[in-house]
mmCIF file of all heavy atoms in Angstrom:
data_model
loop_
_atom_site.group_PDB
_atom_site.id
_atom_site.type_symbol
_atom_site.label_atom_id
_atom_site.label_comp_id
_atom_site.label_asym_id
_atom_site.label_seq_id
_atom_site.Cartn_x
_atom_site.Cartn_y
_atom_site.Cartn_z
ATOM 1 N N GLY A 203 82.484 172.061 104.838
ATOM 2 C CA GLY A 203 81.755 173.110 105.598
ATOM 3 C C GLY A 203 80.281 173.083 105.273
ATOM 4 O O GLY A 203 79.569 174.119 105.426
ATOM 5 N N ALA A 205 77.776 172.001 106.920
ATOM 6 C CA ALA A 205 76.765 172.140 107.951
ATOM 7 C C ALA A 205 76.729 173.669 108.275
ATOM 8 O O ALA A 205 75.796 174.040 109.103
ATOM 9 C CB ALA A 205 77.307 171.419 109.258
ATOM 10 N N GLY A 206 77.605 174.537 107.686
ATOM 11 C CA GLY A 206 77.519 175.871 107.960
ATOM 12 C C GLY A 206 76.265 176.639 107.258
ATOM 13 O O GLY A 206 75.519 176.031 106.523
ATOM 14 N N TYR A 207 76.383 177.962 107.440
ATOM 15 C CA TYR A 207 75.256 178.847 106.967
ATOM 16 C C TYR A 207 75.086 178.681 105.368
ATOM 17 O O TYR A 207 74.120 178.228 105.018
ATOM 18 C CB TYR A 207 75.582 180.251 107.303
ATOM 19 C CG TYR A 207 74.682 181.443 106.745
ATOM 20 C CD1 TYR A 207 73.341 181.191 106.731
ATOM 21 C CD2 TYR A 207 75.204 182.491 106.219
ATOM 22 C CE1 TYR A 207 72.459 182.142 106.148
ATOM 23 C CE2 TYR A 207 74.389 183.480 105.766
ATOM 24 C CZ TYR A 207 72.984 183.343 105.718
ATOM 25 O OH TYR A 207 72.227 184.280 105.139
ATOM 26 N N ILE A 208 76.130 178.980 104.629
ATOM 27 C CA ILE A 208 75.950 179.010 103.139
ATOM 28 C C ILE A 208 75.971 177.569 102.688
ATOM 29 O O ILE A 208 75.279 177.189 101.727
ATOM 30 C CB ILE A 208 76.993 179.902 102.528
ATOM 31 C CG1 ILE A 208 77.015 181.297 103.120
ATOM 32 C CG2 ILE A 208 76.846 179.907 100.997
ATOM 33 C CD1 ILE A 208 78.248 182.145 102.649
ATOM 34 N N ASP A 227 82.597 168.227 107.740
ATOM 35 C CA ASP A 227 82.616 169.470 108.576
ATOM 36 C C ASP A 227 83.119 169.039 109.908
ATOM 37 O O ASP A 227 82.840 167.948 110.407
ATOM 38 C CB ASP A 227 81.170 170.005 108.595
ATOM 39 C CG ASP A 227 81.126 171.455 109.079
ATOM 40 O OD1 ASP A 227 81.604 171.812 110.165
ATOM 41 O OD2 ASP A 227 80.517 172.205 108.341
ATOM 42 N N ASN A 228 83.912 169.968 110.598
ATOM 43 C CA ASN A 228 84.354 169.598 111.947
ATOM 44 C C ASN A 228 83.457 170.207 112.976
ATOM 45 O O ASN A 228 83.735 170.093 114.174
ATOM 46 C CB ASN A 228 85.833 170.156 112.070
ATOM 47 C CG ASN A 228 85.949 171.575 111.989
ATOM 48 O OD1 ASN A 228 85.015 172.343 111.901
ATOM 49 N ND2 ASN A 228 87.149 172.187 112.101
ATOM 50 N N LEU A 229 82.371 170.806 112.601
ATOM 51 C CA LEU A 229 81.346 171.462 113.418
ATOM 52 C C LEU A 229 81.913 172.469 114.307
ATOM 53 O O LEU A 229 81.466 172.678 115.469
ATOM 54 C CB LEU A 229 80.568 170.326 114.175
ATOM 55 C CG LEU A 229 79.765 169.324 113.307
ATOM 56 C CD1 LEU A 229 78.977 168.394 114.192
ATOM 57 C CD2 LEU A 229 78.755 170.013 112.316
ATOM 58 N N SER A 230 83.033 173.092 113.963
ATOM 59 C CA SER A 230 83.659 174.103 114.835
ATOM 60 C C SER A 230 82.775 175.375 114.891
ATOM 61 O O SER A 230 82.770 176.154 115.804
ATOM 62 C CB SER A 230 85.011 174.548 114.355
ATOM 63 O OG SER A 230 84.950 174.956 112.989
ATOM 64 N N ASN A 231 81.885 175.613 113.777
ATOM 65 C CA ASN A 231 81.031 176.750 113.834
ATOM 66 C C ASN A 231 79.593 176.355 113.382
ATOM 67 O O ASN A 231 78.952 177.254 112.703
ATOM 68 C CB ASN A 231 81.569 177.893 112.939
ATOM 69 C CG ASN A 231 80.969 179.210 113.236
ATOM 70 O OD1 ASN A 231 80.586 179.511 114.426
ATOM 71 N ND2 ASN A 231 80.741 180.031 112.269
ATOM 72 N N SER A 232 79.124 175.189 113.682
ATOM 73 C CA SER A 232 77.914 174.747 113.182
ATOM 74 C C SER A 232 77.341 173.577 114.004
ATOM 75 O O SER A 232 78.156 173.024 114.868
ATOM 76 C CB SER A 232 77.966 174.353 111.738
ATOM 77 O OG SER A 232 79.091 173.441 111.534
ATOM 78 N N ALA A 253 84.866 165.647 110.397
ATOM 79 C CA ALA A 253 86.293 165.598 110.190
ATOM 80 C C ALA A 253 86.737 167.017 109.786
ATOM 81 O O ALA A 253 85.992 167.910 109.415
ATOM 82 C CB ALA A 253 86.618 164.736 108.933
ATOM 83 N N ASP A 254 88.069 167.204 110.069
ATOM 84 C CA ASP A 254 88.688 168.427 109.857
ATOM 85 C C ASP A 254 89.443 168.315 108.477
ATOM 86 O O ASP A 254 90.098 167.337 108.248
ATOM 87 C CB ASP A 254 89.804 168.698 110.985
ATOM 88 C CG ASP A 254 90.149 170.172 110.892
ATOM 89 O OD1 ASP A 254 90.854 170.617 109.868
ATOM 90 O OD2 ASP A 254 89.934 170.893 111.878
ATOM 91 N N ILE A 255 89.271 169.301 107.564
ATOM 92 C CA ILE A 255 89.976 169.256 106.245
ATOM 93 C C ILE A 255 91.368 169.251 106.419
ATOM 94 O O ILE A 255 92.149 168.864 105.429
ATOM 95 C CB ILE A 255 89.525 170.466 105.383
ATOM 96 C CG1 ILE A 255 89.739 171.840 106.102
ATOM 97 C CG2 ILE A 255 87.998 170.199 104.877
ATOM 98 C CD1 ILE A 255 89.831 172.906 105.011
ATOM 99 N N PHE A 276 83.617 175.202 101.301
ATOM 100 C CA PHE A 276 83.196 176.332 102.208
ATOM 101 C C PHE A 276 83.998 176.249 103.478
ATOM 102 O O PHE A 276 84.012 177.367 104.124
ATOM 103 C CB PHE A 276 81.755 176.143 102.637
ATOM 104 C CG PHE A 276 80.767 176.189 101.501
ATOM 105 C CD1 PHE A 276 80.182 175.068 101.000
ATOM 106 C CD2 PHE A 276 80.235 177.404 101.035
ATOM 107 C CE1 PHE A 276 79.190 175.187 99.971
ATOM 108 C CE2 PHE A 276 79.406 177.540 100.042
ATOM 109 C CZ PHE A 276 78.831 176.324 99.511
ATOM 110 N N ALA A 277 84.521 175.135 103.842
ATOM 111 C CA ALA A 277 85.133 175.183 105.247
ATOM 112 C C ALA A 277 86.143 176.099 105.468
ATOM 113 O O ALA A 277 87.104 176.352 104.667
ATOM 114 C CB ALA A 277 85.689 173.800 105.501
ATOM 115 N N GLY A 278 86.054 176.944 106.572
ATOM 116 C CA GLY A 278 86.873 177.971 106.860
ATOM 117 C C GLY A 278 86.373 178.800 107.992
ATOM 118 O O GLY A 278 85.162 178.719 108.314
ATOM 119 N N LYS A 280 85.728 182.649 109.622
ATOM 120 C CA LYS A 280 85.270 183.833 108.795
ATOM 121 C C LYS A 280 85.230 185.075 109.627
ATOM 122 O O LYS A 280 84.661 186.064 109.047
ATOM 123 C CB LYS A 280 84.051 183.517 108.073
ATOM 124 C CG LYS A 280 82.872 183.238 109.054
ATOM 125 C CD LYS A 280 81.495 183.283 108.339
ATOM 126 C CE LYS A 280 80.410 183.019 109.379
ATOM 127 N NZ LYS A 280 79.039 183.121 108.830
ATOM 128 N N ASN A 295 93.991 177.086 109.666
ATOM 129 C CA ASN A 295 92.702 176.427 109.466
ATOM 130 C C ASN A 295 92.363 176.655 107.977
ATOM 131 O O ASN A 295 92.026 175.642 107.301
ATOM 132 C CB ASN A 295 91.591 177.033 110.299
ATOM 133 C CG ASN A 295 90.349 176.267 110.221
ATOM 134 O OD1 ASN A 295 90.239 175.178 110.816
ATOM 135 N ND2 ASN A 295 89.381 176.732 109.437
ATOM 136 N N SER A 318 84.800 179.122 98.012
ATOM 137 C CA SER A 318 84.146 180.292 98.649
ATOM 138 C C SER A 318 85.119 181.419 98.941
ATOM 139 O O SER A 318 85.802 181.390 99.944
ATOM 140 C CB SER A 318 83.668 179.877 100.022
ATOM 141 O OG SER A 318 82.651 179.048 99.982
ATOM 142 N N SER A 319 85.213 182.365 97.855
ATOM 143 C CA SER A 319 86.058 183.477 98.230
ATOM 144 C C SER A 319 85.113 184.688 98.741
ATOM 145 O O SER A 319 83.902 184.416 98.982
ATOM 146 C CB SER A 319 86.851 183.869 97.055
ATOM 147 O OG SER A 319 87.863 184.997 97.337
ATOM 148 N N SER A 320 85.643 185.917 98.790
ATOM 149 C CA SER A 320 84.787 186.937 99.256
ATOM 150 C C SER A 320 85.124 188.298 98.666
ATOM 151 O O SER A 320 86.239 188.526 98.152
ATOM 152 C CB SER A 320 85.225 187.021 100.784
ATOM 153 O OG SER A 320 84.703 188.243 101.305
ATOM 154 N N TYR A 344 91.906 187.496 107.844
ATOM 155 C CA TYR A 344 90.971 186.667 107.221
ATOM 156 C C TYR A 344 90.900 186.935 105.663
ATOM 157 O O TYR A 344 90.926 185.963 104.924
ATOM 158 C CB TYR A 344 89.512 186.960 107.710
ATOM 159 C CG TYR A 344 88.440 186.550 106.976
ATOM 160 C CD1 TYR A 344 88.068 185.211 106.832
ATOM 161 C CD2 TYR A 344 87.585 187.451 106.172
ATOM 162 C CE1 TYR A 344 87.008 184.770 106.046
ATOM 163 C CE2 TYR A 344 86.608 186.983 105.399
ATOM 164 C CZ TYR A 344 86.310 185.656 105.250
ATOM 165 O OH TYR A 344 85.247 185.287 104.424
ATOM 166 N N LYS A 348 91.746 184.450 102.202
ATOM 167 C CA LYS A 348 91.000 184.153 100.913
ATOM 168 C C LYS A 348 91.916 184.574 99.723
ATOM 169 O O LYS A 348 91.942 183.841 98.724
ATOM 170 C CB LYS A 348 89.780 185.222 100.900
ATOM 171 C CG LYS A 348 88.855 184.799 101.915
ATOM 172 C CD LYS A 348 88.171 183.452 101.643
ATOM 173 C CE LYS A 348 87.213 182.972 102.710
ATOM 174 N NZ LYS A 348 86.851 181.501 102.538
ATOM 175 N N TYR A 378 81.668 186.282 97.203
ATOM 176 C CA TYR A 378 80.479 186.589 97.704
ATOM 177 C C TYR A 378 80.512 188.094 98.232
ATOM 178 O O TYR A 378 81.533 188.504 98.864
ATOM 179 C CB TYR A 378 80.092 185.726 98.897
ATOM 180 C CG TYR A 378 80.288 184.313 98.823
ATOM 181 C CD1 TYR A 378 80.434 183.509 99.922
ATOM 182 C CD2 TYR A 378 80.176 183.669 97.616
ATOM 183 C CE1 TYR A 378 80.495 182.103 99.927
ATOM 184 C CE2 TYR A 378 80.378 182.273 97.557
ATOM 185 C CZ TYR A 378 80.529 181.566 98.719
ATOM 186 O OH TYR A 378 80.751 180.128 98.647
ATOM 187 N N PRO A 381 76.078 187.806 102.162
ATOM 188 C CA PRO A 381 75.055 186.943 102.145
ATOM 189 C C PRO A 381 74.132 187.145 103.423
ATOM 190 O O PRO A 381 74.629 187.300 104.510
ATOM 191 C CB PRO A 381 75.750 185.560 102.341
ATOM 192 C CG PRO A 381 77.280 185.866 101.959
ATOM 193 C CD PRO A 381 77.463 187.268 102.340
HETATM 194 P P1 NAD B 252 80.080 179.073 108.606
HETATM 195 O O1 NAD B 252 80.925 179.355 109.637
HETATM 196 O O2 NAD B 252 78.607 179.051 108.813
HETATM 197 O O3 NAD B 252 80.406 177.703 107.742
HETATM 198 C C1 NAD B 252 81.733 177.277 107.650
HETATM 199 C C2 NAD B 252 81.674 175.775 107.993
HETATM 200 O O4 NAD B 252 83.004 175.190 107.878
HETATM 201 C C3 NAD B 252 81.200 175.625 109.489
HETATM 202 O O5 NAD B 252 80.224 174.613 109.475
HETATM 203 C C4 NAD B 252 82.462 175.092 110.171
HETATM 204 O O6 NAD B 252 82.173 174.205 111.312
HETATM 205 C C5 NAD B 252 83.258 174.454 109.116
HETATM 206 N N1 NAD B 252 84.698 174.435 109.268
HETATM 207 C C6 NAD B 252 85.496 175.456 109.546
HETATM 208 N N2 NAD B 252 86.789 175.023 109.542
HETATM 209 C C7 NAD B 252 86.701 173.812 109.218
HETATM 210 C C8 NAD B 252 87.796 172.789 109.098
HETATM 211 N N3 NAD B 252 89.047 173.032 109.220
HETATM 212 N N4 NAD B 252 87.447 171.484 108.771
HETATM 213 C C9 NAD B 252 86.076 171.176 108.498
HETATM 214 N N5 NAD B 252 85.102 172.091 108.661
HETATM 215 C C10 NAD B 252 85.486 173.343 108.958
HETATM 216 O O7 NAD B 252 80.419 180.233 107.437
HETATM 217 P P2 NAD B 252 79.589 180.599 106.146
HETATM 218 O O8 NAD B 252 79.025 181.945 106.361
HETATM 219 O O9 NAD B 252 78.648 179.559 105.773
HETATM 220 O O10 NAD B 252 80.731 180.656 105.203
HETATM 221 C C11 NAD B 252 81.094 179.678 104.341
HETATM 222 C C12 NAD B 252 82.419 180.070 103.497
HETATM 223 O O11 NAD B 252 82.073 181.244 102.775
HETATM 224 C C13 NAD B 252 83.540 180.460 104.386
HETATM 225 O O12 NAD B 252 84.740 180.043 103.708
HETATM 226 C C14 NAD B 252 83.578 181.943 104.428
HETATM 227 O O13 NAD B 252 84.788 182.470 104.664
HETATM 228 C C15 NAD B 252 82.999 182.273 103.107
HETATM 229 N N6 NAD B 252 82.362 183.662 103.041
HETATM 230 C C16 NAD B 252 81.250 183.936 103.908
HETATM 231 C C17 NAD B 252 80.688 185.167 103.759
HETATM 232 C C18 NAD B 252 79.554 185.435 104.728
HETATM 233 O O14 NAD B 252 79.299 186.588 104.938
HETATM 234 N N7 NAD B 252 78.892 184.477 105.499
HETATM 235 C C19 NAD B 252 81.189 186.078 103.005
HETATM 236 C C20 NAD B 252 82.133 185.807 102.105
HETATM 237 C C21 NAD B 252 82.819 184.558 102.115
#
Side-chain angles (χ1 to χ4, degrees):
Y207 171 46
I208 305 169
D227 199 302
N228 65 3
L229 300 183
S230 57
N231 196 37
S232 53
D254 193 298
I255 54 162
F276 293 102
K280 62 166 184 178
N295 191 78
S318 296
S319 189
S320 167
Y344 163 70
K348 292 294 173 194
Y378 314 154

